[in-house]
């Protein structure tokens, strides 16, 4: 029974983490489009708060819960020898790297030193989707 409770927790954490991974780059698209100087200061300040809160209060805690619960499920289910899990874990490591990259961008925006255009964040916004598709296919199909 514990396995099913941990699995439910894992799914909830993944949904929350993915939602944040989809939303944070979108906020950064808008932030990168804010005009410099006093005319954009209020909007920029609001976006800084939104980005920081999303990262610190939602995105990072849900990633931690997803990792802990996922590793527990893999161990308890005896999946570590399965090749599909190796592909999934590689994709999850890449998602975690995107998470770290976004955290760096939150810092850059907070310090008013972002140099990336909004198009960069539009493209970056698609990477979690591709990784999510790969992860879901591995978990559901278990092809190897």
């Amino acid at each position: 029974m514990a396995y099913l409770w941990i699995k439910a927790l894992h799914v909830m954490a993944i949904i929350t983490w993915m939602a944040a991974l989809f939303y944070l780059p979108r906020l950064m698209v808008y932030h990168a489009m804010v005009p410099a100087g006093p005319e954009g200061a209020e909007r920029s300040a609001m976006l800084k708060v939104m980005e920081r809160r999303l990262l610190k209060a939602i995105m990072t805690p849900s990633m931690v819960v997803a990792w802990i619960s996922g590793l527990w499920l893999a161990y308890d289910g005896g999946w570590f020898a399965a090749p599909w899990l190796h592909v999934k874990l590689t994709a999850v490591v890449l998602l975690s790297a995107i998470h770290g990259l976004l955290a760096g961008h939150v810092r850059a925006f907070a310090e008013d030193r972002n140099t990336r255009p909004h198009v960069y964040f539009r493209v970056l916004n698609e990477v979690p989707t591709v990784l999510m598709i790969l992860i879901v296919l591995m978990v559901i199909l278990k092809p190897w």
Side-chain angles (χ1 to χ4, degrees), residues 18-140:
M18 290 306 303
L21 282 168
F22 294 148
Y23 188 49
L24 187 55
R26 176 56 44 194
L27 286 175
M28 292 174 177
V29 167
Y30 301 139
H31 203 159
M33 295 172 68
V34 171
E39 65 274 7
E42 186 176 332
R43 210 160 109 212
S44 180
M46 178 190 65
L47 287 164
K48 287 176 187 180
V49 169
M50 292 172 71
E51 291 160 354
R52 186 188 79 248
R53 286 182 180 169
L54 181 60
L55 177 68
K56 301 278 186 184
I58 296 171
M59 198 161 127
T60 298
S62 62
M63 179 190 71
V64 170
V65 171
W67 265 104
I68 292 169
S69 60
L71 290 172
W72 189 91
L73 290 168
Y75 174 77
D76 193 58
W79 297 112
F80 279 111
W84 67 266
L85 183 66
H86 298 171
V87 174
K88 178 198 176 194
L89 286 175
T90 300
V92 175
V93 166
L94 292 172
L95 267 183
S96 300
I98 295 296
H99 182 120
L101 180 66
L102 291 171
H105 289 310
V106 166
R107 229 172 292 116
F109 275 116
E111 297 167 359
D112 295 319
R113 56 179 180 77
N114 174 58
T115 58
R116 304 285 185 163
H118 68 93
V119 174
Y120 166 82
F121 294 107
R122 288 182 194 277
V123 172
L124 186 58
N125 196 33
E126 303 306 321
V127 176
T129 303
V130 173
L131 292 170
M132 179 203 59
I133 290 168
L134 179 61
I135 291 166
V136 169
L137 289 174
M138 290 301 107
V139 171
I140 301 298

